[in-house]
């Protein structure tokens, strides 16, 4: 697994005199009192001493080798943000430093990547500069946790974050311009007190201000410096939310339900704090961040994670695995970064790809967490079977999305046959997967009812009724019921995805759109729903009656019918299993159990395919 540091900084060796460029005072500038060292000044005020790692790629790479770091994702220091300046000046300044970052990365032998900066006081300009930078090679953007008195729930900033999600740009939130400076003039208190408070303020503003509810779940956002004091004061925030209406803000869920919406870095500098942070956020939400190469950063990058008592598989996620997901890197690209670092002396310090690492077997085997205590023997079986269902559901969604794409292409070009063939091929796979899903019930039936009842109470209020992926499959295939969304509101990411599926064309839609493009389906605009249904059934009938001309489309029809049939079989076997194990009891999630399931037996994705059989006999 590659080691990726997502929070470190740079300064160019030189840059233009910004005070002269903009005819305004107190811009940051750099002076070099001796070789390899520099001082950052803000006007006449000393700001920070730095050394050549900030601008010299070779120095940086040597220190990365020393610390066994494969990749750094560098970003500007917040003193360069210029949010308080006129937007046109801040934009010009941002472009200077963004281009300088890419120049430094170009000398990094593939091991240096960058995040840009934007003039966040001007949202339109920020969106345009982000898009320019992403196309130029930046992986995302670093922004401050506020712009003047505007927090991260400001509508303009939310608009910018939405644009980041659309561009696939990772977002690093860095504290800056710390609160109450008049009360923290000494002892580095703005860094030791102000930074944690500013970072927590940013997270809480996004939660209580409803920003996460408005933003898509594909947004990848990380808060630097371990999320500040957020994880350690989450209990206080949650308690206030639960017991005082004034603390609710406008968010839809309790604060603790938003932990899956953002990442934090590991810059907490204490092993107990790191373990608590991972325990609060979860091992998939913490990434290596060092604040290198500054004195208050980690002096041996990654040493805190490596020396901690965390399990090896969790360390691997923190050191690099999570960053691959956060940054949108392909696993092969991240592994290539490790290979590049290994090439310096011919001895790899990144792991070779193995069966276990490719399939993430250690992580996979850590995902079963029985709730019974003492643990009941059969609960592990129950978990694994249902996790296997979810994995197969994922593959079905993957394949059916491809079927939809192929049928859409076939509708665009009715003369083409390649897309029709590919749709039929993938549907064949979907039927075989569904056949496996039906057979899996026989494994669950090896449990005695008493054995299931021994841990069933621990599952409330969880229920298979809440399987987001199965609901997504229904919506994708055409069984769309907006009322079902309410069962998924506790999981904002799934709720948003299901809302998207409701809006998108379904497999049912694109299939009949293609028949319409072929001239097989004709429906009057004023037709009733029954008339539309009959027209669709007759369109299928026309295919079967001209078998010689439409064998490829008939193959698609047969595969869709078989898939439909197997899904009904799956529903039936589900009912039989429920009755065999719990009889007529209510489901753990509050459903009516088997009686509810029986009502689903009449649900078919393609009832017109079945109606066409009736028409064939007339």
């Amino acid at each position: 697994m590659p080691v990726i540091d997502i929070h470190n900084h740079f300064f160019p060796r030189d840059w233009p005199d910004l005070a002269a460029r903009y005819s305004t005072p107190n811009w940051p500038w750099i002076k070099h009192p001796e070789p390899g060292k520099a001082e950052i000044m803000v006007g006449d005020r000393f700001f920070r001493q730095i050394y050549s790692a900030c601008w010299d790629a070779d120095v940086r790479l040597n220190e990365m080798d020393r610390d066994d770091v494969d990749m750094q994702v560098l970003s500007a220091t917040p003193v360069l943000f210029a949010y308080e300046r006129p937007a046109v000046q801040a934009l010009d300044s941002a472009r200077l430093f963004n281009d300088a970052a890419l120049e430094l990365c170009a000398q990094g032998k593939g091991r240096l990547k960058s995040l840009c900066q934007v003039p966040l006081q001007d949202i339109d300009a920020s969106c345009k500069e982000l898009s320019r930078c992403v196309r130029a090679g930046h992986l995302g953007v670093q922004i401050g946790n506020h712009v003047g008195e505007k927090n991260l729930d400001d509508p303009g900033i939310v608009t910018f974050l939405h644009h980041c999600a659309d561009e696939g740009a990772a977002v690093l939130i860095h504290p800056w311009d710390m609160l109450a400076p008049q009360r923290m003039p000494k002892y580095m208190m703005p860094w030791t007190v102000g930074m944690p408070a500013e970072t927590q303020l940013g997270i809480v503003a996004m939660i209580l201000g409803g920003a996460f509810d408005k933003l898509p779940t594909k947004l990848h956002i990380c808060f630097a410096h371990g999320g500040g004091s957020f994880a350690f004061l989450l209990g206080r925030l949650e308690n206030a939310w639960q017991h005082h209406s004034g603390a609710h803000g406008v968010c839809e869920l309790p604060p603790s339900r938003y932990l899956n919406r953002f990442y934090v870095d590991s810059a907490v500098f204490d092993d107990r704090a790191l373990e608590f942070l991972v325990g609060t956020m979860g091992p998939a939400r913490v990434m290596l961040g060092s604040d290198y190469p500054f004195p208050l950063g980690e002096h041996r990058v990654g040493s805190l994670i490596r020396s901690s008592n965390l399990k090896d598989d969790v360390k691997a996620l923190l050191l690099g695995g999570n960053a691959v997901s956060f940054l949108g890197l392909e696993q092969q690209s991240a592994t290539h970064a490790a290979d590049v670092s290994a090439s310096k002396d011919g001895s790899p310090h990144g792991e070779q790809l193995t069966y276990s690492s490719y399939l993430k077997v250690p992580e996979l085997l850590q995902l079963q967490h029985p709730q019974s205590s003492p643990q009941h023997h059969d609960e592990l079986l129950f978990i694994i079977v249902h996790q296997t269902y979810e994995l197969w559901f994922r593959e079905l969604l993957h394949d059916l999305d491809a079927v939809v794409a192929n049928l859409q292409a076939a509708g665009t070009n009715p003369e083409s046959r390649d897309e029709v063939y590919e749709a039929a091929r993938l549907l064949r796979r979907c039927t075989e997967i569904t056949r496996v899903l039906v057979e899996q019930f026989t494994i669950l039936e090896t449990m005695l009812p008493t054995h299931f009842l021994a841990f069933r109470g621990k599952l409330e209020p969880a229920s298979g009724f809440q399987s987001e992926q199965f609901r997504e499959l229904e919506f994708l295939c055409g069984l769309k019921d907006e009322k079902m969304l309410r069962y998924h509101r506790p999981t904002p990411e799934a709720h948003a995805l299901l809302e998207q599926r409701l809006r998108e064309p379904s497999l049912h839609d694109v299939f009949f759109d293609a028949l319409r493009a072929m001239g097989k389906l004709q429906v009057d605009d004023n037709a009733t729903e029954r008339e539309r249904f009959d027209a669709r059934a007759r369109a299928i009938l026309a295919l079967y009656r001209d078998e010689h001309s439409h064998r490829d489309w008939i193959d698609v029809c047969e595969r869709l019918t078989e898939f439909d049939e197997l899904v009904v079989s799956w529903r039936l076997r589900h009912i039989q299993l429920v009755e065999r194990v719990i009889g007529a009891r209510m489901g753990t999630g509050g459903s009516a159990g088997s009686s509810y399931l029986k009502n689903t037996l009449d649900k078919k994705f393609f009832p017109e395919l079945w109606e066409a059989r009736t028409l064939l006999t007339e």
Side-chain angles (χ1 to χ4, degrees):
M1 183 69 70
V3 176
I4 303 175
D5 179 3
I6 60 95
H7 173 199
N8 53 89
H9 298 288
F10 84 103
F11 279 98
R13 191 188 188 284
D14 298 289
W15 63 85
D17 183 341
L18 300 180
R21 186 182 183 97
Y22 306 128
S23 300
T24 52
N26 297 323
W27 283 87
W29 59 283
I30 188 170
K31 64 179 180 178
H32 294 268
E34 59 182 288
K37 294 185 179 180
E39 294 177 355
I40 303 300
M41 307 290 293
V42 179
D44 296 330
R45 176 174 59 88
F46 171 79
F47 174 71
R48 175 171 295 166
Q49 186 168 11
I50 60 174
Y51 71 105
S52 56
C54 284
W55 65 80
D56 189 322
D58 289 336
V59 173
R60 187 175 283 257
L61 291 174
N62 287 335
E63 295 188 354
M64 289 168 63
D65 291 340
R66 177 199 67 193
D67 296 341
D68 284 333
V69 174
D70 300 309
M71 179 186 291
Q72 283 188 342
V73 184
L74 53 89
S75 49
T77 304
V79 72
L80 302 175
F81 282 162
Y83 291 165
E84 76 284 4
R85 304 282 181 171
V88 64
Q89 297 177 9
L91 174 59
D92 182 65
S93 173
R95 286 174 173 167
L96 287 173
F97 293 112
N98 290 337
D99 293 344
L102 289 177
E103 291 175 10
L104 179 58
C105 290
Q107 304 168 40
K109 301 177 182 179
R111 298 172 62 191
L112 301 181
K113 304 295 181 182
S114 58
L115 302 176
C116 66
Q117 67 181 69
V118 295
L120 201 56
Q121 65 270 55
D122 185 327
I123 299 304
D124 288 342
S126 293
C127 290
K128 291 177 182 177
E129 177 62 6
L130 175 80
S131 296
R132 182 188 79 89
C133 288
V134 168
R135 282 148 186 74
H138 290 273
L139 297 182
V141 62
Q142 176 192 231
I143 64 173
N145 66 302
H146 67 104
V147 178
E149 296 183 358
K150 296 178 180 178
N151 287 322
L152 294 175
D153 59 338
D154 174 76
I157 297 177
V158 171
T159 296
F160 173 72
L161 293 174
H162 206 299
H163 183 69
C164 293
D166 291 340
E167 288 282 7
V171 181
L172 176 65
I173 306 291
H174 198 292
W176 85 297
D177 189 27
M178 266 62 80
L179 48 78
Q182 66 279 6
R183 296 182 58 204
M184 297 184 286
K186 298 185 291 185
Y187 318 127
M188 297 297 292
M189 289 175 68
W191 280 262
T192 59
V193 177
M195 274 193 172
E198 284 287 354
T199 308
Q200 182 192 15
L201 195 161
I203 299 174
V204 173
M206 285 198 72
I207 293 174
L208 298 185
F212 282 123
D213 295 323
K214 299 171 185 174
L215 289 165
T217 55
K218 64 182 178 181
L219 174 67
H220 288 180
I221 188 168
C222 175
F223 289 86
H225 295 286
S229 48
F230 174 80
F232 309 97
L233 297 178
L234 175 59
R236 184 180 183 88
L237 179 66
E238 187 84 1
N239 180 68
W241 195 92
Q242 297 287 356
H243 296 103
H244 199 299
S245 59
H248 273 208
V250 296
C251 59
E252 297 177 359
L253 302 168
S256 60
R257 299 298 295 274
Y258 292 90
L259 300 184
N260 64 342
R261 296 299 304 275
F262 61 93
Y263 296 80
V264 297
D265 74 13
S266 63
V268 293
F269 310 106
D270 180 85
D271 54 356
R272 293 169 299 175
L274 178 65
E275 290 171 21
F276 183 85
L277 182 64
V278 172
T280 301
M281 294 297 303
R285 289 288 160 177
V286 183
M287 298 180 288
L288 171 61
S290 66
D291 210 11
Y292 168 94
F294 296 150
L296 295 186
E298 190 173 25
H299 286 235
R300 288 293 183 267
V301 177
S303 59
L304 175 64
I305 295 173
R306 291 187 176 104
S307 64
S308 71
N309 293 321
L310 298 170
K311 294 181 179 179
D312 288 344
D313 58 325
V314 174
K315 291 181 181 180
L317 291 175
L318 271 60
L319 287 170
N322 293 335
V324 170
S325 300
F326 172 71
L327 297 167
L329 299 173
E330 294 292 335
Q331 180 64 45
Q332 296 89 336
S333 299
T335 304
H336 175 67
D339 292 342
V340 170
S341 66
S343 67
K344 66 187 187 299
D345 59 5
S347 57
H349 51 254
E351 294 180 4
Q352 296 289 329
L353 186 67
T354 66
Y355 174 89
S356 182
S357 64
Y358 177 65
L359 297 178
K360 305 294 184 190
V361 172
E363 294 91 336
L364 189 64
L365 299 181
Q366 293 293 319
L367 297 178
Q368 295 77 42
H369 301 288
Q371 300 296 304
S372 55
S373 181
Q375 181 180 330
H376 192 280
H377 179 82
D378 280 3
E379 190 177 0
L380 182 64
L381 170 71
F382 187 82
I383 292 172
I384 288 175
V385 168
H386 284 83
Q387 287 181 336
T388 305
Y389 273 127
E390 293 297 328
L391 288 172
W392 282 127
F393 289 161
R394 180 175 182 179
E395 179 63 28
L396 284 173
L397 288 166
H398 178 64
D399 289 333
L400 289 170
D401 275 329
V403 172
V404 167
N406 277 284
L407 292 181
Q408 285 176 321
T412 303
N413 182 13
E415 300 302 319
S416 174
R417 291 291 179 264
D418 291 342
E419 292 87 356
V420 184
Y421 167 84
E422 182 64 8
R425 185 184 72 83
L426 290 172
L427 284 168
R428 166 79 188 283
R429 178 187 297 166
C430 291
T431 60
E432 296 308 316
I433 291 172
T434 311
R435 205 182 308 278
V436 171
L437 296 181
V438 174
E439 291 302 315
Q440 278 191 180
F441 284 112
T442 61
I443 303 172
L444 284 172
E445 287 175 343
T446 64
M447 284 193 308
L448 292 177
T450 50
H451 292 176
F452 175 62
L453 291 172
F455 61 85
R456 180 178 183 262
K458 297 291 185 180
L459 306 183
E460 296 179 358
S463 168
F465 188 66
Q466 298 167 333
S467 170
E468 291 95 359
Q469 288 198 116
F470 184 75
R471 194 70 60 208
E472 194 179 347
L473 278 167
E474 288 191 322
F475 286 8
L476 172 58
C477 290
L479 278 179
K480 298 182 178 182
D481 184 352
E482 190 170 1
K483 295 191 297 296
M484 302 305 294
L485 287 177
R486 67 180 185 273
Y487 297 106
H488 302 281
R489 291 187 71 83
T491 312
E493 184 172 350
H495 187 272
L497 185 57
L498 288 171
E499 280 189 318
Q500 180 180 335
R501 289 291 190 189
L502 272 176
R503 295 190 298 269
E504 292 176 344
S506 68
L507 176 55
H508 185 277
D509 295 331
V510 300
F511 173 73
F512 285 107
D513 284 346
L515 297 190
R516 184 178 294 105
M518 293 166 58
K520 296 295 180 183
L521 174 59
Q522 296 178 353
V523 185
D524 187 85
D525 291 340
N526 298 320
T528 65
E529 185 51 45
R530 180 63 205 187
E531 289 169 339
R532 293 174 186 276
F533 176 86
D534 290 341
R536 292 193 294 265
R538 287 193 298 272
I540 295 168
L541 179 65
L543 294 177
Y544 278 86
R545 285 184 169 164
D546 190 4
E547 181 179 344
H548 179 75
S549 302
H550 301 297
R551 291 184 186 276
D552 50 355
W553 278 102
I554 290 174
D555 192 21
V556 170
C557 291
E558 288 297 292
R559 299 289 74 77
L560 288 173
T561 305
E562 187 175 17
F563 178 63
D564 221 354
E565 180 180 18
L566 285 165
V567 171
V568 173
S569 296
W570 186 87
R571 296 183 194 276
L572 178 61
R573 293 291 284 114
H574 191 186
I575 293 169
Q576 292 171 329
L577 174 74
V578 169
E579 290 185 333
R580 175 170 176 159
V581 176
I582 66 170
R585 290 184 180 213
M586 180 176 289
T588 52
S591 73
S594 64
S595 62
Y596 162 77
L597 294 172
K598 288 176 181 177
N599 291 330
T600 68
L601 281 178
D602 290 332
K603 291 184 176 182
K604 290 186 175 69
F605 297 142
F606 295 92
E608 297 90 346
L609 287 166
W610 303 86
E611 178 68 14
R613 268 96 176 138
T614 303
L615 297 177
L616 277 167
T617 63
E618 291 179 354

